[in-house]
Amino acid sequence: MVHVLAAGSLFFPGLFLLSKAGLRRLQLFRGEESNTIIVSARLVSSIQAVLASTAGYIVATSCKDVIEDRHWLAATYTRFAVPYFIYDVYAMYLCYWHKHKVKDHASGWQLTRAYLRKEFLMVLHHVFMVAVCFPVSVLWREGKGDFFLGCMLMAEVSTPFVCLGKVLIQYKKQHTLLHRVNGVLMLVTFFCCRLLLFPYMYWVYGQRVGLPLYKVPFSLSPEYNIGAAILMAPQVYWFYLICQRAYTLFRQSILCQRPKNGHPASEISAKDQDCSQ
């Protein structure tokens, strides 16, 4: 276990440094250190998501019995990925710091507090994954339920689309066809792989023990339902934010396509300002 944890501790920060050096060498951002760091962090998150979802798919499709069957990749990748959540908290802070250090003229401690306020839910989610989900998945479940762990890993399918969307918005490409297509894929994968994931796992378990879906929660110990609720709650909130942002961009796109003839100067100015955001 120690060797796998050590490998993950080297892999994710090393990949971040490697991608940052590669972007500098390619001179894609020409001295804009903040953009280099932000894109590098998004790239590492996307690669981790691809690795996790691939591992999850292999595990889930290999387990015929959803409770008893085991696959070595389930525990191995879980251990390998734990350092990623620790690294990612720092990477998110680094992105926030570079993005706001000049604009806000704030000290390091002020930026840290602002970062924790803005990303409180994400930081709490990462801490929960390391402090609770890791011990549960490696020790408490006693080798059972690799299928469900594989399903949880496949929740990362939506992450590359989320990262690409943030990068496109960062470079004011939110009105391009690429952003629209990516937005649709992000909504579909997030909804299917993060929100429908939990009802699906309840349904699969019900099929295994011969219970209809609505009876499954009452047949499980309270800790299972509480854990599922804790994991699902932030996903619902983030999906709401994604839908809200998608609606805002769609509304701005409609406004930008309307002809300006006949509009008051103040309305045209306001509309042009929205289109440039």
Side-chain angles (χ1 to χ4, degrees), residues 53-218:
S53 55
T54 301
Y57 177 79
I58 293 171
V59 172
T61 54
S62 299
C63 295
K64 305 305 179 185
D65 188 309
V66 299
I67 297 178
E68 299 295 339
D69 282 359
R70 302 188 64 178
H71 193 285
W72 66 269
L73 196 54
T76 301
Y77 190 81
T78 301
R79 294 163 183 164
F80 179 74
V82 164
Y84 165 78
F85 293 100
I86 301 171
Y87 144 82
D88 197 45
V89 170
Y90 176 72
M92 289 190 300
Y93 171 72
L94 201 60
C95 293
Y96 186 88
W97 187 78
H98 276 276
K99 187 176 179 180
H100 294 275
K101 66 175 180 177
V102 176
K103 182 173 67 174
D104 295 343
H105 300 287
S107 65
W109 175 238
Q110 289 174 320
L111 283 173
T112 301
R113 287 189 299 176
Y115 160 73
L116 291 175
R117 283 196 302 268
K118 184 177 184 298
E119 300 291 349
F120 174 77
L121 187 58
M122 184 64 76
V123 172
L124 183 63
H125 172 265
H126 281 33
V127 171
F128 183 81
M129 294 297 291
V130 174
V132 178
C133 292
F134 173 64
V136 166
S137 63
V138 174
L139 302 174
W140 181 71
R141 66 189 183 94
E142 298 179 346
K144 294 186 177 181
D146 279 9
F147 170 84
F148 298 106
L149 183 56
C151 290
M152 294 295 294
L153 290 173
M154 283 195 289
E156 294 289 340
V157 168
S158 62
T159 300
F161 302 110
V162 174
C163 292
L164 178 57
K166 289 181 178 180
V167 170
L168 291 173
I169 291 173
Q170 178 186 344
Y171 291 99
K172 303 188 184 302
K173 303 294 184 181
Q174 58 266 49
H175 301 296
T176 61
L177 177 61
L178 175 60
H179 185 267
R180 292 168 187 163
V181 173
N182 181 75
V184 172
L185 293 173
M186 177 175 62
L187 283 169
V188 171
T189 54
F190 199 101
F191 181 74
C192 293
C193 298
R194 289 181 181 258
L195 297 190
L196 291 184
L197 173 68
F198 295 94
Y200 171 73
M201 290 194 296
Y202 274 63
W203 176 79
V204 169
Y205 177 79
Q207 294 296 301
R208 167 65 166 72
V209 298
L211 290 174
L213 176 61
Y214 71 92
K215 287 186 177 181
V216 171
F218 303 102

